Amino acid sequence: MNKDHDDSQFLKETFQHILQISKGECSIDLEKVHNLEDENKINILGGLKMLHEDLDLYKSELRQNMEAEYKLKLLEKRNQELQQFNYIASHDMKEPMRTIKNFSDLLSKKYADKLDDKANLYLSYISDSSNRMYNLIDGLLDFSQINNHVKRNEVDCNTIIDSILRDIDKVIAENSAQIIYNELPVILGDEIAIRQLFINLISNGIKYKSPDRTPVIKVSYSNKEDTHYFSISDNGMGIKEKYQDQIFELFSRLHINSEIPGTGIGLSICKKVINSLEGRLWVESKFGKGSTFHFTIPK
Ligand code: ADP
């Protein structure tokens, strides 16, 4: 066979090879590369081999990305469904619960003298439990309403704290609490979510006060290069080190209801709000001395 025929055969094969690569299905015959004497042809086949390896790498990266994207989509969908379910369930349960609560209160108010002691005691159990249930549903509803993809509007933290202090003025007065804060920033976030964050941390500072002193809550702010850094400190009862991570979990409480009532949802809401803003929330505390909750929000 002459050289021209050899060359055209080689070109034909190379072309076929490129076509196969473009379809993502080539394989290279290494034997062929070794048997060749023409340096140009060796280079061409070497190039094809590299193309083939690149293609393999690309295919496996593509497969991994597609798998990751699929899993993410599935997770987002599940999350959305769960959030919707949570909202509907809590919303629909709230009404009947309110009715039970109102009527048991009414019953014990209007008929207390007509019922014997046992009946009055049972009624007070119903009233307490329905109250607790109502607060739990309310908390869950708040929790489900914090979205992972929050709106990012300008929120003035001074206005938020002012309105919170007006809302909880009775609790502040009853506990002779002192709330101190200086100039706070305007940040980007969802107003309702940011409000939830501050109200939970400030009210906890009062609720978990020390038996020996009146509560002093301090809201501090520091403007870091690329984050807003907030700290909310109290002089309350403090939290033992071994519980300091656990308190952020849903329904996690360190006190029984008859001691200090609560739902164990407040700090989970705070965590969810901060996660949705891609920030960080943690606590530093000395048992018996007080706690400081720190959180950062990227600018
Ligand atoms: P709740 O107050 O309804 O129990 P939270 O999620 O707000 O729910 O708090 C979880 C637990 O963390 C509380 O039960 C309490 O034991 C502890 N905790 C939260 N804030 C403080 C605080 N400022 N000082 C001491 N303990 C706290």
Side-chain angles (χ1 to χ4, degrees), residues 5-41:
H5 180 269
D6 252 15
D7 283 351
S8 82
Q9 180 64 21
F10 179 78
L11 279 176
K12 220 164 144 190
E13 280 174 15
T14 306
F15 182 67
Q16 284 302 330
H17 213 111
I18 292 173
L19 263 182
Q20 275 178 305
I21 289 179
S22 73
K23 288 187 207 153
E25 43 181 55
C26 83
S27 68
I28 196 124
D29 184 356
L30 283 175
E31 277 287 301
K32 222 173 198 170
V33 185
H34 294 311
N35 292 339
L36 277 176
E37 281 164 13
D38 184 334
E39 200 177 323
N40 281 337
K41 289 181 182 174

mmCIF file of all heavy atoms in Angstrom, residues 5-41:
data_model
loop_
_atom_site.group_PDB
_atom_site.id
_atom_site.type_symbol
_atom_site.label_atom_id
_atom_site.label_comp_id
_atom_site.label_asym_id
_atom_site.label_seq_id
_atom_site.Cartn_x
_atom_site.Cartn_y
_atom_site.Cartn_z
ATOM 1 N N HIS A 5 -2.292 6.517 0.296
ATOM 2 C CA HIS A 5 -3.457 5.749 0.762
ATOM 3 C C HIS A 5 -3.469 5.660 2.298
ATOM 4 O O HIS A 5 -4.495 5.850 2.947
ATOM 5 C CB HIS A 5 -3.429 4.357 0.130
ATOM 6 C CG HIS A 5 -4.593 3.541 0.589
ATOM 7 N ND1 HIS A 5 -4.525 2.737 1.702
ATOM 8 C CD2 HIS A 5 -5.858 3.445 0.117
ATOM 9 C CE1 HIS A 5 -5.699 2.178 1.887
ATOM 10 N NE2 HIS A 5 -6.524 2.587 0.913
ATOM 11 N N ASP A 6 -2.245 5.429 2.829
ATOM 12 C CA ASP A 6 -2.071 5.365 4.298
ATOM 13 C C ASP A 6 -2.569 6.634 4.966
ATOM 14 O O ASP A 6 -3.319 6.614 5.935
ATOM 15 C CB ASP A 6 -0.562 5.274 4.602
ATOM 16 C CG ASP A 6 -0.245 3.882 5.088
ATOM 17 O OD1 ASP A 6 -1.098 3.010 4.892
ATOM 18 O OD2 ASP A 6 0.854 3.720 5.655
ATOM 19 N N ASP A 7 -2.111 7.781 4.391
ATOM 20 C CA ASP A 7 -2.475 9.090 4.976
ATOM 21 C C ASP A 7 -3.985 9.316 4.936
ATOM 22 O O ASP A 7 -4.590 9.772 5.904
ATOM 23 C CB ASP A 7 -1.778 10.232 4.220
ATOM 24 C CG ASP A 7 -0.319 10.314 4.643
ATOM 25 O OD1 ASP A 7 0.043 9.609 5.620
ATOM 26 O OD2 ASP A 7 0.441 11.064 4.007
ATOM 27 N N SER A 8 -4.575 9.022 3.782
ATOM 28 C CA SER A 8 -6.015 9.305 3.689
ATOM 29 C C SER A 8 -6.797 8.374 4.616
ATOM 30 O O SER A 8 -7.779 8.783 5.232
ATOM 31 C CB SER A 8 -6.508 9.221 2.242
ATOM 32 O OG SER A 8 -6.739 7.908 1.908
ATOM 33 N N GLN A 9 -6.290 7.115 4.758
ATOM 34 C CA GLN A 9 -6.934 6.189 5.698
ATOM 35 C C GLN A 9 -6.834 6.732 7.133
ATOM 36 O O GLN A 9 -7.802 6.731 7.890
ATOM 37 C CB GLN A 9 -6.234 4.808 5.587
ATOM 38 C CG GLN A 9 -6.790 3.739 6.497
ATOM 39 C CD GLN A 9 -8.230 3.384 6.157
ATOM 40 O OE1 GLN A 9 -8.690 3.634 5.030
ATOM 41 N NE2 GLN A 9 -8.958 2.864 7.141
ATOM 42 N N PHE A 10 -5.633 7.241 7.442
ATOM 43 C CA PHE A 10 -5.401 7.783 8.795
ATOM 44 C C PHE A 10 -6.332 8.982 9.077
ATOM 45 O O PHE A 10 -6.958 9.084 10.124
ATOM 46 C CB PHE A 10 -3.931 8.225 8.927
ATOM 47 C CG PHE A 10 -3.628 8.817 10.270
ATOM 48 C CD1 PHE A 10 -3.442 7.993 11.387
ATOM 49 C CD2 PHE A 10 -3.559 10.192 10.446
ATOM 50 C CE1 PHE A 10 -3.182 8.544 12.627
ATOM 51 C CE2 PHE A 10 -3.303 10.746 11.681
ATOM 52 C CZ PHE A 10 -3.113 9.910 12.776
ATOM 53 N N LEU A 11 -6.412 9.883 8.042
ATOM 54 C CA LEU A 11 -7.278 11.055 8.208
ATOM 55 C C LEU A 11 -8.736 10.652 8.422
ATOM 56 O O LEU A 11 -9.449 11.218 9.243
ATOM 57 C CB LEU A 11 -7.174 11.966 6.980
ATOM 58 C CG LEU A 11 -5.948 12.885 6.975
ATOM 59 C CD1 LEU A 11 -5.870 13.676 5.684
ATOM 60 C CD2 LEU A 11 -6.006 13.843 8.169
ATOM 61 N N LYS A 12 -9.142 9.629 7.644
ATOM 62 C CA LYS A 12 -10.517 9.140 7.746
ATOM 63 C C LYS A 12 -10.808 8.622 9.170
ATOM 64 O O LYS A 12 -11.807 8.963 9.797
ATOM 65 C CB LYS A 12 -10.709 7.989 6.743
ATOM 66 C CG LYS A 12 -12.048 8.032 6.053
ATOM 67 C CD LYS A 12 -11.970 7.133 4.856
ATOM 68 C CE LYS A 12 -13.281 6.420 4.642
ATOM 69 N NZ LYS A 12 -13.115 5.379 3.623
ATOM 70 N N GLU A 13 -9.818 7.844 9.653
ATOM 71 C CA GLU A 13 -9.990 7.279 11.008
ATOM 72 C C GLU A 13 -10.018 8.372 12.069
ATOM 73 O O GLU A 13 -10.803 8.345 13.017
ATOM 74 C CB GLU A 13 -8.858 6.294 11.324
ATOM 75 C CG GLU A 13 -9.082 4.936 10.709
ATOM 76 C CD GLU A 13 -7.877 4.028 10.915
ATOM 77 O OE1 GLU A 13 -7.014 4.352 11.758
ATOM 78 O OE2 GLU A 13 -7.814 2.999 10.217
ATOM 79 N N THR A 14 -9.105 9.360 11.861
ATOM 80 C CA THR A 14 -9.052 10.471 12.822
ATOM 81 C C THR A 14 -10.386 11.208 12.852
ATOM 82 O O THR A 14 -10.929 11.555 13.907
ATOM 83 C CB THR A 14 -7.920 11.458 12.440
ATOM 84 O OG1 THR A 14 -6.733 10.724 12.315
ATOM 85 C CG2 THR A 14 -7.759 12.549 13.486
ATOM 86 N N PHE A 15 -10.926 11.438 11.645
ATOM 87 C CA PHE A 15 -12.202 12.136 11.541
ATOM 88 C C PHE A 15 -13.311 11.348 12.260
ATOM 89 O O PHE A 15 -14.096 11.907 13.036
ATOM 90 C CB PHE A 15 -12.530 12.339 10.059
ATOM 91 C CG PHE A 15 -13.803 13.105 9.852
ATOM 92 C CD1 PHE A 15 -13.878 14.451 10.217
ATOM 93 C CD2 PHE A 15 -14.923 12.491 9.313
ATOM 94 C CE1 PHE A 15 -15.065 15.146 10.051
ATOM 95 C CE2 PHE A 15 -16.101 13.198 9.148
ATOM 96 C CZ PHE A 15 -16.176 14.523 9.517
ATOM 97 N N GLN A 16 -13.302 10.023 12.021
ATOM 98 C CA GLN A 16 -14.283 9.153 12.691
ATOM 99 C C GLN A 16 -14.166 9.264 14.209
ATOM 100 O O GLN A 16 -15.147 9.349 14.941
ATOM 101 C CB GLN A 16 -14.041 7.673 12.314
ATOM 102 C CG GLN A 16 -14.501 7.271 10.926
ATOM 103 C CD GLN A 16 -15.986 7.532 10.728
ATOM 104 O OE1 GLN A 16 -16.752 7.484 11.676
ATOM 105 N NE2 GLN A 16 -16.374 7.838 9.496
ATOM 106 N N HIS A 17 -12.888 9.306 14.611
ATOM 107 C CA HIS A 17 -12.591 9.384 16.040
ATOM 108 C C HIS A 17 -13.157 10.666 16.656
ATOM 109 O O HIS A 17 -13.792 10.659 17.708
ATOM 110 C CB HIS A 17 -11.073 9.366 16.219
ATOM 111 C CG HIS A 17 -10.677 8.693 17.468
ATOM 112 N ND1 HIS A 17 -10.034 7.490 17.480
ATOM 113 C CD2 HIS A 17 -10.861 9.046 18.753
ATOM 114 C CE1 HIS A 17 -9.824 7.133 18.710
ATOM 115 N NE2 HIS A 17 -10.326 8.064 19.509
ATOM 116 N N ILE A 18 -12.920 11.796 15.926
ATOM 117 C CA ILE A 18 -13.415 13.097 16.423
ATOM 118 C C ILE A 18 -14.944 13.066 16.512
ATOM 119 O O ILE A 18 -15.548 13.548 17.472
ATOM 120 C CB ILE A 18 -12.914 14.259 15.531
ATOM 121 C CG1 ILE A 18 -11.393 14.395 15.712
ATOM 122 C CG2 ILE A 18 -13.604 15.575 15.888
ATOM 123 C CD1 ILE A 18 -10.733 15.377 14.788
ATOM 124 N N LEU A 19 -15.545 12.444 15.472
ATOM 125 C CA LEU A 19 -17.016 12.328 15.487
ATOM 126 C C LEU A 19 -17.491 11.564 16.713
ATOM 127 O O LEU A 19 -18.429 11.968 17.401
ATOM 128 C CB LEU A 19 -17.488 11.584 14.235
ATOM 129 C CG LEU A 19 -17.951 12.442 13.066
ATOM 130 C CD1 LEU A 19 -18.437 11.553 11.940
ATOM 131 C CD2 LEU A 19 -19.055 13.385 13.506
ATOM 132 N N GLN A 20 -16.762 10.476 17.006
ATOM 133 C CA GLN A 20 -17.131 9.649 18.169
ATOM 134 C C GLN A 20 -16.972 10.450 19.464
ATOM 135 O O GLN A 20 -17.816 10.393 20.357
ATOM 136 C CB GLN A 20 -16.250 8.399 18.234
ATOM 137 C CG GLN A 20 -16.780 7.277 17.365
ATOM 138 C CD GLN A 20 -15.835 6.095 17.443
ATOM 139 O OE1 GLN A 20 -14.645 6.237 17.174
ATOM 140 N NE2 GLN A 20 -16.363 4.951 17.794
ATOM 141 N N ILE A 21 -15.837 11.228 19.530
ATOM 142 C CA ILE A 21 -15.610 12.037 20.736
ATOM 143 C C ILE A 21 -16.768 13.017 20.923
ATOM 144 O O ILE A 21 -17.298 13.185 22.014
ATOM 145 C CB ILE A 21 -14.266 12.806 20.639
ATOM 146 C CG1 ILE A 21 -13.092 11.829 20.769
ATOM 147 C CG2 ILE A 21 -14.164 13.874 21.750
ATOM 148 C CD1 ILE A 21 -11.727 12.468 20.670
ATOM 149 N N SER A 22 -17.201 13.631 19.787
ATOM 150 C CA SER A 22 -18.284 14.616 19.903
ATOM 151 C C SER A 22 -19.570 13.961 20.402
ATOM 152 O O SER A 22 -20.420 14.606 20.984
ATOM 153 C CB SER A 22 -18.508 15.333 18.572
ATOM 154 O OG SER A 22 -19.124 14.438 17.686
ATOM 155 N N LYS A 23 -19.705 12.653 20.143
ATOM 156 C CA LYS A 23 -20.902 11.961 20.658
ATOM 157 C C LYS A 23 -20.661 11.418 22.066
ATOM 158 O O LYS A 23 -21.524 10.795 22.663
ATOM 159 C CB LYS A 23 -21.258 10.793 19.736
ATOM 160 C CG LYS A 23 -21.841 11.218 18.408
ATOM 161 C CD LYS A 23 -22.301 9.976 17.667
ATOM 162 C CE LYS A 23 -22.264 10.179 16.172
ATOM 163 N NZ LYS A 23 -22.073 8.934 15.441
ATOM 164 N N GLY A 24 -19.437 11.619 22.556
ATOM 165 C CA GLY A 24 -19.105 11.186 23.920
ATOM 166 C C GLY A 24 -18.918 9.686 24.025
ATOM 167 O O GLY A 24 -19.126 9.104 25.071
ATOM 168 N N GLU A 25 -18.517 9.004 22.918
ATOM 169 C CA GLU A 25 -18.473 7.548 23.014
ATOM 170 C C GLU A 25 -17.185 6.942 22.429
ATOM 171 O O GLU A 25 -17.168 5.806 21.998
ATOM 172 C CB GLU A 25 -19.695 6.946 22.308
ATOM 173 C CG GLU A 25 -19.987 7.614 20.995
ATOM 174 C CD GLU A 25 -21.185 7.071 20.268
ATOM 175 O OE1 GLU A 25 -22.282 7.051 20.880
ATOM 176 O OE2 GLU A 25 -21.026 6.673 19.114
ATOM 177 N N CYS A 26 -16.088 7.721 22.395
ATOM 178 C CA CYS A 26 -14.903 7.158 21.751
ATOM 179 C C CYS A 26 -14.063 6.297 22.695
ATOM 180 O O CYS A 26 -14.168 6.389 23.908
ATOM 181 C CB CYS A 26 -14.045 8.269 21.190
ATOM 182 S SG CYS A 26 -12.992 8.958 22.430
ATOM 183 N N SER A 27 -13.221 5.470 22.118
ATOM 184 C CA SER A 27 -12.188 4.815 22.905
ATOM 185 C C SER A 27 -10.940 4.833 22.028
ATOM 186 O O SER A 27 -11.036 4.845 20.812
ATOM 187 C CB SER A 27 -12.593 3.399 23.240
ATOM 188 O OG SER A 27 -12.609 2.666 22.051
ATOM 189 N N ILE A 28 -9.782 4.869 22.656
ATOM 190 C CA ILE A 28 -8.582 5.042 21.842
ATOM 191 C C ILE A 28 -7.790 3.730 21.784
ATOM 192 O O ILE A 28 -7.713 3.000 22.775
ATOM 193 C CB ILE A 28 -7.737 6.201 22.386
ATOM 194 C CG1 ILE A 28 -6.719 6.639 21.338
ATOM 195 C CG2 ILE A 28 -7.034 5.866 23.670
ATOM 196 C CD1 ILE A 28 -6.848 8.091 21.025
ATOM 197 N N ASP A 29 -7.263 3.457 20.610
ATOM 198 C CA ASP A 29 -6.503 2.236 20.432
ATOM 199 C C ASP A 29 -5.025 2.565 20.630
ATOM 200 O O ASP A 29 -4.356 3.082 19.739
ATOM 201 C CB ASP A 29 -6.782 1.716 19.005
ATOM 202 C CG ASP A 29 -6.096 0.398 18.767
ATOM 203 O OD1 ASP A 29 -5.363 -0.042 19.671
ATOM 204 O OD2 ASP A 29 -6.292 -0.178 17.687
ATOM 205 N N LEU A 30 -4.519 2.282 21.840
ATOM 206 C CA LEU A 30 -3.140 2.670 22.167
ATOM 207 C C LEU A 30 -2.112 1.905 21.323
ATOM 208 O O LEU A 30 -1.068 2.421 20.988
ATOM 209 C CB LEU A 30 -2.863 2.450 23.657
ATOM 210 C CG LEU A 30 -3.452 3.516 24.572
ATOM 211 C CD1 LEU A 30 -3.219 3.139 26.014
ATOM 212 C CD2 LEU A 30 -2.850 4.874 24.285
ATOM 213 N N GLU A 31 -2.483 0.689 20.970
ATOM 214 C CA GLU A 31 -1.617 -0.136 20.117
ATOM 215 C C GLU A 31 -1.211 0.648 18.889
ATOM 216 O O GLU A 31 -0.054 0.707 18.513
ATOM 217 C CB GLU A 31 -2.412 -1.365 19.641
ATOM 218 C CG GLU A 31 -2.446 -2.503 20.635
ATOM 219 C CD GLU A 31 -1.104 -3.206 20.723
ATOM 220 O OE1 GLU A 31 -0.654 -3.708 19.693
ATOM 221 O OE2 GLU A 31 -0.501 -3.194 21.826
ATOM 222 N N LYS A 32 -2.233 1.316 18.354
ATOM 223 C CA LYS A 32 -2.058 2.041 17.112
ATOM 224 C C LYS A 32 -1.011 3.138 17.278
ATOM 225 O O LYS A 32 -0.165 3.356 16.427
ATOM 226 C CB LYS A 32 -3.399 2.654 16.726
ATOM 227 C CG LYS A 32 -3.702 2.527 15.277
ATOM 228 C CD LYS A 32 -5.095 2.999 15.036
ATOM 229 C CE LYS A 32 -5.559 2.475 13.704
ATOM 230 N NZ LYS A 32 -6.961 2.714 13.527
ATOM 231 N N VAL A 33 -1.057 3.819 18.429
ATOM 232 C CA VAL A 33 -0.121 4.919 18.673
ATOM 233 C C VAL A 33 1.302 4.376 18.707
ATOM 234 O O VAL A 33 2.216 4.944 18.127
ATOM 235 C CB VAL A 33 -0.427 5.619 20.017
ATOM 236 C CG1 VAL A 33 0.456 6.829 20.234
ATOM 237 C CG2 VAL A 33 -1.885 6.010 20.094
ATOM 238 N N HIS A 34 1.468 3.220 19.373
ATOM 239 C CA HIS A 34 2.816 2.662 19.491
ATOM 240 C C HIS A 34 3.374 2.170 18.156
ATOM 241 O O HIS A 34 4.556 2.262 17.894
ATOM 242 C CB HIS A 34 2.813 1.517 20.513
ATOM 243 C CG HIS A 34 2.515 1.996 21.902
ATOM 244 N ND1 HIS A 34 3.165 3.066 22.475
ATOM 245 C CD2 HIS A 34 1.592 1.604 22.819
ATOM 246 C CE1 HIS A 34 2.682 3.285 23.680
ATOM 247 N NE2 HIS A 34 1.702 2.416 23.907
ATOM 248 N N ASN A 35 2.488 1.661 17.323
ATOM 249 C CA ASN A 35 2.968 1.108 16.046
ATOM 250 C C ASN A 35 3.296 2.167 15.001
ATOM 251 O O ASN A 35 3.900 1.869 13.992
ATOM 252 C CB ASN A 35 1.922 0.157 15.459
ATOM 253 C CG ASN A 35 1.825 -1.075 16.335
ATOM 254 O OD1 ASN A 35 2.769 -1.358 17.082
ATOM 255 N ND2 ASN A 35 0.712 -1.771 16.272
ATOM 256 N N LEU A 36 2.858 3.389 15.282
ATOM 257 C CA LEU A 36 3.063 4.427 14.270
ATOM 258 C C LEU A 36 4.515 4.886 14.257
ATOM 259 O O LEU A 36 5.185 4.913 15.283
ATOM 260 C CB LEU A 36 2.179 5.632 14.579
ATOM 261 C CG LEU A 36 0.736 5.559 14.090
ATOM 262 C CD1 LEU A 36 -0.011 6.778 14.579
ATOM 263 C CD2 LEU A 36 0.675 5.470 12.589
ATOM 264 N N GLU A 37 4.965 5.266 13.035
ATOM 265 C CA GLU A 37 6.330 5.784 12.957
ATOM 266 C C GLU A 37 6.316 7.265 12.663
ATOM 267 O O GLU A 37 7.197 8.018 13.053
ATOM 268 C CB GLU A 37 7.102 5.049 11.868
ATOM 269 C CG GLU A 37 7.554 3.689 12.371
ATOM 270 C CD GLU A 37 7.981 2.786 11.253
ATOM 271 O OE1 GLU A 37 8.164 3.283 10.123
ATOM 272 O OE2 GLU A 37 8.129 1.581 11.512
ATOM 273 N N ASP A 38 5.275 7.702 11.968
ATOM 274 C CA ASP A 38 5.175 9.117 11.577
ATOM 275 C C ASP A 38 4.900 9.973 12.815
ATOM 276 O O ASP A 38 3.887 9.791 13.486
ATOM 277 C CB ASP A 38 4.023 9.230 10.561
ATOM 278 C CG ASP A 38 3.906 10.635 10.012
ATOM 279 O OD1 ASP A 38 4.319 11.572 10.734
ATOM 280 O OD2 ASP A 38 3.395 10.775 8.887
ATOM 281 N N GLU A 39 5.812 10.949 13.085
ATOM 282 C CA GLU A 39 5.694 11.740 14.317
ATOM 283 C C GLU A 39 4.414 12.583 14.364
ATOM 284 O O GLU A 39 3.766 12.731 15.407
ATOM 285 C CB GLU A 39 6.920 12.639 14.453
ATOM 286 C CG GLU A 39 7.101 13.093 15.890
ATOM 287 C CD GLU A 39 8.366 13.926 16.030
ATOM 288 O OE1 GLU A 39 9.361 13.600 15.352
ATOM 289 O OE2 GLU A 39 8.308 14.894 16.795
ATOM 290 N N ASN A 40 4.030 13.113 13.187
ATOM 291 C CA ASN A 40 2.800 13.928 13.135
ATOM 292 C C ASN A 40 1.585 13.119 13.556
ATOM 293 O O ASN A 40 0.720 13.582 14.298
ATOM 294 C CB ASN A 40 2.559 14.461 11.727
ATOM 295 C CG ASN A 40 3.451 15.653 11.477
ATOM 296 O OD1 ASN A 40 3.886 16.286 12.448
ATOM 297 N ND2 ASN A 40 3.746 15.914 10.217
ATOM 298 N N LYS A 41 1.566 11.881 13.031
ATOM 299 C CA LYS A 41 0.414 11.028 13.341
ATOM 300 C C LYS A 41 0.397 10.674 14.828
ATOM 301 O O LYS A 41 -0.646 10.632 15.466
ATOM 302 C CB LYS A 41 0.442 9.762 12.493
ATOM 303 C CG LYS A 41 0.132 10.064 11.039
ATOM 304 C CD LYS A 41 0.147 8.800 10.226
ATOM 305 C CE LYS A 41 -0.109 9.110 8.753
ATOM 306 N NZ LYS A 41 0.030 7.919 7.936
#
